[in-house]
Amino acid sequence: MASKRQIEANRRNARSSTGPRSNAGKRSASRNAIRHGLTVRLSGPAFERAVESLARKLAGNTDDALTLELARTAAEAELELTRVRQTRTALIERAIAFGSLDAPSYFPSALAKVKWISNMLKWTEGQLLVRPDRPVADDPSSSMPQEDQARTAEAIRRISPDLLALNRYERRAVVRRDRAVRALTRR
Amino acid sequence: MSTRNMASAESNASRHPLVLSTEKVDDFLALQADFEQEISPKGAIERMYVHDVAALVWDIRRFRNAKTAFINNAFASALLEIIRRIMPTSEITLDAKAERLARGWFLEQKTRIEVEELLATHDLDDQSVAAEAIRQVAPELERFDGMLTKLELRRDRALQNIEDLRAGLAKRVRQASDRVLDDNLLVLSDTHRGAS
């Protein structure tokens, strides 16, 4: 157990922790939960119906309330797992089509963007004679291989950090489902 | 919309949610059917785990193929790197020639022979190029391997779950049959007592 001094030190450290500091870090952190949307529990009548239908199949021919409840937990986790797998396929599919999950960027860095805006302002104020060139969006799909197998491999490579993050959600759903199934089959 | 995207959009209607547009839905369904036939699941829970195993094996296959294709993708840049290093000093500046040779390896038999001869002058061959390709992509290969290992572990656990389920079922059947036998014994002894 942590001592009082340790607890106070932890609180002090937590207060001084302000999260990501760089713009890239803030941008990345802000997308943590949004990117996959997998932290959101599914709900709605259609989902409830799917859970109930699968739960009835898993529970077998019974009306025992506890058995059905365990079956519902297993069914919900199983559908969650299906959603994670479908998400993985959809993300790879998107990377195959566009070469990236991110929107095309017009500037190689934030500094380049600031410089361009600053030059535009100078030009509108007459301090620059030549209008700065229009930024051109990079096209990540242009560097994707054409052949299917090679293209799939490159897509997986480019989004592998995202795929690794999906593993966490998948593992959580698997653990929930298996725990419920074990409890269910012990009854 | 690019031709590829249009083709992909057209085929979306017939796609399976776990199968990529670069893969064949029939192959996935055949794999699933093979597992169903092999394991013969009994009941919804076993069927769920069998489908789990099929989906995981499909993912494993995808990652293994991708890993090989990924190394192949790096082959061109590895070949270019090696050619640049071994070209005669007087030609080192002729980068365009190195690029022509590297590209030609995949396209023209004549250039391939030329490159092989160039490699042979330094006791090198296509294995050396493959090794350079792997070296170039080693950090990413490690990530691929990490993902593959996780998938394989999950597949093994799903198979173990089926085994456990069956062992649990066998245990319950044994217990039930013992109970029936015990009950029968009681009945028999009761009968015996009654008879005496």
Side-chain angles (χ1 to χ4, degrees):
Chain A
M1 200 175 157
S3 69
K4 202 176 164 191
R5 230 175 108 199
Q6 279 172 323
I7 292 169
E8 275 169 13
N10 285 344
R11 282 182 184 156
R12 262 198 317 277
N13 289 339
R15 269 198 297 275
S16 60
S17 166
T18 52
R21 286 164 193 235
S22 71
N23 285 337
K26 284 176 192 165
R27 250 197 329 273
S28 165
S30 73
R31 285 185 317 200
N32 280 349
I34 302 166
R35 190 153 185 135
H36 310 120
L38 291 169
T39 47
V40 180
R41 278 280 175 91
L42 289 172
S43 60
F47 179 69
E48 297 303 327
R49 274 197 301 279
V51 168
E52 201 56 34
S53 160
L54 181 57
R56 288 273 165 193
K57 283 181 195 159
L58 297 178
N61 195 16
T62 182
D63 284 325
D64 178 60
L66 189 53
T67 304
L68 280 171
E69 193 46 41
L70 288 168
R72 275 189 205 104
T73 306
E76 197 191 312
E78 171 67 9
L79 293 174
E80 196 79 44
L81 186 57
T82 306
R83 181 170 67 135
V84 178
R85 286 185 176 150
Q86 290 176 353
T87 303
R88 181 165 55 218
T89 311
L91 289 181
I92 299 173
E93 200 69 83
R94 210 165 96 203
I96 288 173
F98 300 110
S100 165
L101 296 179
D102 297 312
S105 76
Y106 284 83
F107 300 95
S109 66
L111 185 65
K113 187 176 181 179
V114 170
K115 271 187 183 165
W116 185 82
I117 294 170
S118 158
N119 284 338
M120 274 303 282
L121 283 172
K122 282 181 186 164
W123 176 71
T124 52
E125 287 164 3
Q127 294 174 34
L128 265 183
L129 291 176
V130 185
R131 188 185 198 278
D133 290 337
R134 283 177 194 279
V136 180
D138 65 339
D139 179 11
S141 72
S142 64
S143 54
M144 288 290 279
Q146 286 304 307
E147 192 265 322
D148 276 355
Q149 195 72 257
R151 200 174 173 94
T152 307
E154 181 60 15
I156 290 176
R157 185 190 72 78
R158 290 187 186 189
I159 64 165
S160 54
D162 289 273
L163 297 179
L164 278 172
L166 278 183
N167 270 335
R168 203 171 55 236
Y169 299 108
E170 193 173 1
R171 199 179 58 225
R172 205 177 297 156
V174 167
V175 168
R176 272 184 70 216
R177 182 198 62 183
D178 290 353
R179 196 185 298 143
V181 166
R182 270 197 302 276
L184 188 62
T185 52
R186 271 199 299 264
R187 289 187 64 78
Chain B
M1 196 185 242
S2 70
T3 319
R4 172 176 284 275
N5 290 351
M6 275 194 289
S8 163
E10 278 168 18
S11 65
N12 270 348
S14 59
R15 295 230 65 82
H16 187 286
L18 299 183
V19 180
L20 296 170
S21 57
T22 51
E23 298 165 339
K24 290 185 181 133
V25 178
D26 287 347
D27 288 350
F28 177 74
L29 296 177
L31 178 84
Q32 210 171 42
D34 281 351
F35 275 109
E36 289 223 17
Q37 198 181 355
E38 181 80 23
I39 303 175
S40 305
K42 288 164 194 70
I45 296 180
E46 282 195 16
R47 190 162 300 113
M48 181 177 77
Y49 280 124
V50 168
H51 286 181
D52 204 11
V53 172
L56 286 163
V57 168
W58 185 254
D59 278 346
I60 290 168
R61 203 188 267 186
R62 176 189 292 159
F63 274 84
R64 280 191 187 147
N65 287 340
K67 197 174 142 183
T68 311
F70 179 47
I71 297 170
N72 287 341
N73 289 353
F75 202 90
S77 71
L79 183 59
L80 182 62
E81 178 69 23
I82 288 181
I83 293 174
R84 274 184 183 143
R85 279 170 187 242
I86 64 177
M87 265 178 31
T89 320
S90 59
E91 292 188 53
I92 276 180
T93 51
L94 300 175
D95 215 37
K97 186 182 177 186
E99 283 190 19
R100 181 187 64 78
L101 287 173
R103 214 175 25 251
W105 165 281
F106 298 96
L107 303 173
E108 304 151 3
Q109 184 63 20
K110 194 178 140 209
T111 315
R112 194 184 174 104
I113 293 168
E114 190 183 345
V115 173
E116 277 172 354
E117 284 170 359
L118 185 63
L119 291 174
T121 57
H122 288 73
D123 290 332
L124 299 173
D125 55 16
D126 53 355
Q127 285 300 315
S128 324
V129 184
E132 170 62 18
I134 291 172
R135 189 193 68 80
Q136 284 186 7
V137 297
E140 277 142 327
L141 276 184
E142 203 178 331
R143 206 179 293 160
F144 265 77
D145 279 338
M147 288 192 277
L148 259 173
T149 307
K150 284 195 175 88
L151 288 168
E152 284 164 355
L153 280 173
R154 215 164 281 160
R155 175 205 56 194
D156 295 347
R157 210 170 297 142
L159 285 169
Q160 185 64 48
N161 283 338
I162 299 174
E163 262 187 63
D164 291 349
L165 274 173
R166 290 190 171 173
L169 177 70
K171 195 177 162 191
R172 283 199 301 281
V173 170
R174 197 167 49 244
Q175 283 169 346
S177 89
D178 286 350
R179 215 169 29 243
V180 170
L181 286 173
D182 289 348
D183 287 350
N184 271 346
L185 274 178
L186 274 176
V187 171
L188 280 174
S189 61
D190 288 348
T191 313
H192 176 69
R193 242 195 325 268
S196 61

